[in-house]
Amino acid sequence: MLSISPFNAVEEAGTAVLTLTEGLEKEEFFASRLTRAETRRQLRLMSQAALLLSPEIHTLLVEIDWEGWRALDQRLATSDKAEDTLIWLAVRALAPDTLMWLRVYRKNQPEWFKEEAEIHYPAISPGTGARP
């Protein structure tokens, strides 16, 4: 079992996505097989963690595009070659917007991010992003 707050998991994977794609144009991103694969893996980790949060939390954090995360997760789960446009949209909008709102919520609702607020869920396989 992995014990980490889904909020923290989203933030860690999101930071990795931003780091991996910093300064890249769309064509450069898709030309780099390794960067694209690792970014895809990190986006899958983000989507899985985001969807572990309760519907109540989703309702409270209305600015975050939870349906976007759900759609991305479904697409990434069913295809190794998720639609390029969808991945690029997640890289340029969904991930950065989510991180921005989590920073706002961390400042305004710090109790949501405390260690005792963590939940336990099965580890996510590093190689595939899938849970065992």
Side-chain angles (χ1 to χ4, degrees), residues 2 37-38 40-49 52 73-74 76-80 121-132:
L2 176 68
E38 180 59 16
R40 182 187 185 286
R41 188 179 78 80
Q42 293 295 332
L43 286 169
R44 185 78 201 281
L45 293 173
M46 278 185 86
S47 67
Q48 290 177 330
L52 285 173
D73 187 65
Q74 289 171 350
L76 293 175
T78 60
S79 172
D80 283 343
Y121 57 95
I124 298 171
S125 171
T128 64
R131 286 184 235 159

Side-chain angles (χ1 to χ4, degrees), residues 3-21:
S3 176
I4 184 171
S5 161
F7 287 120
N8 293 336
V10 169
E11 287 179 317
E12 287 178 21
T15 299
V17 167
L18 296 183
T19 301
L20 287 162
T21 60

Side-chain angles (χ1 to χ4, degrees), residues 18 20-32 35-36 39 84 87-88 91-92:
L18 296 183
L20 287 162
T21 60
E22 183 178 8
L24 293 179
E25 296 297 325
K26 185 176 182 178
E27 296 75 25
E28 295 172 303
F29 173 73
F30 288 111
S32 175
T35 300
R36 189 176 66 244
T39 300
D84 288 352
I87 290 176
W88 189 247
V91 165
R92 285 296 177 240

